[in-house]
């Protein structure tokens, strides 16, 4: 028996790599969001997650350096917004879930990864760790810029948000909705789990075990969240 196959349409589709977009003029924008909730422990106490030791960087410092060193090579101006959430901040000591590490909301930019680290160490000495762990405001902060960039007709922009947190997300429903909304925008989210807490929520947001859906049942347009437990890779970070 002879079987004859006829091909009606043959289409070759070129899949561009990330570097193709970068070399084509795409601007990468990198932002850091850091968890300053009380579950990180008293920063004055050695061994806690935010403790500053000049002899040994804590896990937050290590994660900022490790990820930042990779991403900054694709950011032309090397100016990075650095934000915090979950702390009481000066001068009023009101809880904020979206504040600049340099306490200048009009200019939250830090120069290079070293600038982020300096702003972080200065910030931890001035804030009071509090809570809860709400990360939706940080995601929506980035999404506003990504949405505005999407409307522009000039060179394309892509936004990467690095969230460093020590565990359970308090506003999980709002965060799911924020991720679903952001999934249609030119942005991605890297969540690094710091410490040894329960990271079930982070794995849920990652979507590797199924399609993430918002509270209304709407699925993400694409998977934009990548979760990484930092201690799994700490041995090669420094």
């Amino acid at each position: 028996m002879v079987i004859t196959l006829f091909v009606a349409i043959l289409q070759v589709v070129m899949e561009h790599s990330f570097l193709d977009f970068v070399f084509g003029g795409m601007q990468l924008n990198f932002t850091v969001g850091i968890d300053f909730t009380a579950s990180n422990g008293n920063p004055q106490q050695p061994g806690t997650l935010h403790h500053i030791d000049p002899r040994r960087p804590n896990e937050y410092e290590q994660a900022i350096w490790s990820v930042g060193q990779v991403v900054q090579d694709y950011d032309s101006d090397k100016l990075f917004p650095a934000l915090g959430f979950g702390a009481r901040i000066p001068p009023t000591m009101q809880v904020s879930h979206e504040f600049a590490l340099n306490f200048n909301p009009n200019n939250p930019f830090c120069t290079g990864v070293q600038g982020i680290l300096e702003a972080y160490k200065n910030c931890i000495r001035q804030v009071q760790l509090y809570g809860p762990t709400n990360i939706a405001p940080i995601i929506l902060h980035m999404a506003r810029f990504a949405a505005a960039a999407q409307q522009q007709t000039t060179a394309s922009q892509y936004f990467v948000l690095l969230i460093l947190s020590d565990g359970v997300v308090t506003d999980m429903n709002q965060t799911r909705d924020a991720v679903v909304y952001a999934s249609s925008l030119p942005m991605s989210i890297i969540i690094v789990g710091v410490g040894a807490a329960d990271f079930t929520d982070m794995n849920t947001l990652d979507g590797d075990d199924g399609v993430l859906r918002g509270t209304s049942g709407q699925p993400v347009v694409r998977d934009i969240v990548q979760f990484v437990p930092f201690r799994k890779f700490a041995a090669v970070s420094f």
Side-chain angles (χ1 to χ4, degrees):
M1 180 175 65
V2 177
I3 299 176
T4 304
L5 298 177
F6 295 94
V7 179
I9 299 176
L10 177 62
Q11 184 178 13
V12 178
V13 179
M14 178 180 292
E15 293 189 358
H16 295 281
S17 69
F18 175 72
L19 287 179
D20 287 334
F21 287 109
V22 172
F23 292 142
M26 183 185 71
Q27 172 64 46
L28 188 66
N29 299 279
F30 176 57
T31 297
V32 177
I34 300 176
D35 182 343
F36 287 95
T37 56
S39 57
N40 286 281
N42 183 352
Q44 302 300 320
Q45 181 179 342
T48 56
L49 296 175
H50 277 304
H51 179 69
I52 303 298
D53 184 345
R55 299 167 300 177
R56 171 69 179 174
N58 62 39
E59 287 190 30
Y60 281 93
E61 293 175 279
Q62 293 180 53
I64 292 169
W65 183 263
S66 299
V67 179
Q69 283 291 98
V70 175
V71 176
Q72 74 169 356
D73 289 339
Y74 302 104
D75 191 306
S76 58
D77 62 13
K78 305 292 189 294
L79 295 175
F80 307 127
L83 309 173
F85 58 93
R88 285 179 165 172
I89 64 172
T92 62
M93 301 310 289
Q94 294 295 309
V95 176
S96 175
H97 300 292
E98 182 189 336
F99 62 90
L101 295 194
N102 62 6
F103 305 111
N104 184 350
N106 297 318
N107 184 18
F109 297 92
C110 299
T111 303
V113 178
Q114 188 60 42
I116 298 174
L117 290 170
E118 291 171 0
Y120 162 71
K121 287 186 281 189
N122 179 62
C123 178
I124 196 65
R125 297 184 180 98
Q126 299 186 59
V127 301
Q128 178 188 354
L129 305 192
Y130 206 70
T133 308
N134 293 348
I135 65 174
I138 291 284
I139 295 173
L140 294 175
H141 173 95
M142 172 72 86
R144 288 194 293 271
F145 290 95
Q150 194 175 49
Q151 303 303 314
Q152 297 176 359
T153 57
T154 55
S156 58
Q157 297 187 66
Y158 198 85
F159 297 79
V160 177
L161 173 60
L162 170 64
I163 297 177
L164 308 176
S165 181
D166 77 324
V168 179
V169 177
T170 309
D171 63 338
M172 189 60 179
N173 286 341
Q174 292 89 337
T175 297
R176 285 165 51 203
D177 288 340
V179 171
V180 169
Y181 168 66
S183 68
S184 64
L185 301 173
M187 65 176 284
S188 292
I189 303 168
I190 303 170
I191 302 178
V192 175
V194 178
D198 180 3
F199 294 121
T200 301
D201 289 345
M202 308 302 190
N203 283 304
T204 299
L205 295 173
D206 190 304
D208 285 349
D209 297 327
V211 177
L212 178 70
R213 296 179 181 273
T215 54
S216 67
Q218 180 182 355
V220 290
V221 175
R222 58 191 179 87
D223 183 7
I224 65 169
V225 177
Q226 179 64 53
F227 169 67
V228 179
F230 179 73
R231 290 193 176 181
K232 197 171 182 179
F233 304 96
V236 296
S237 295
F238 272 75

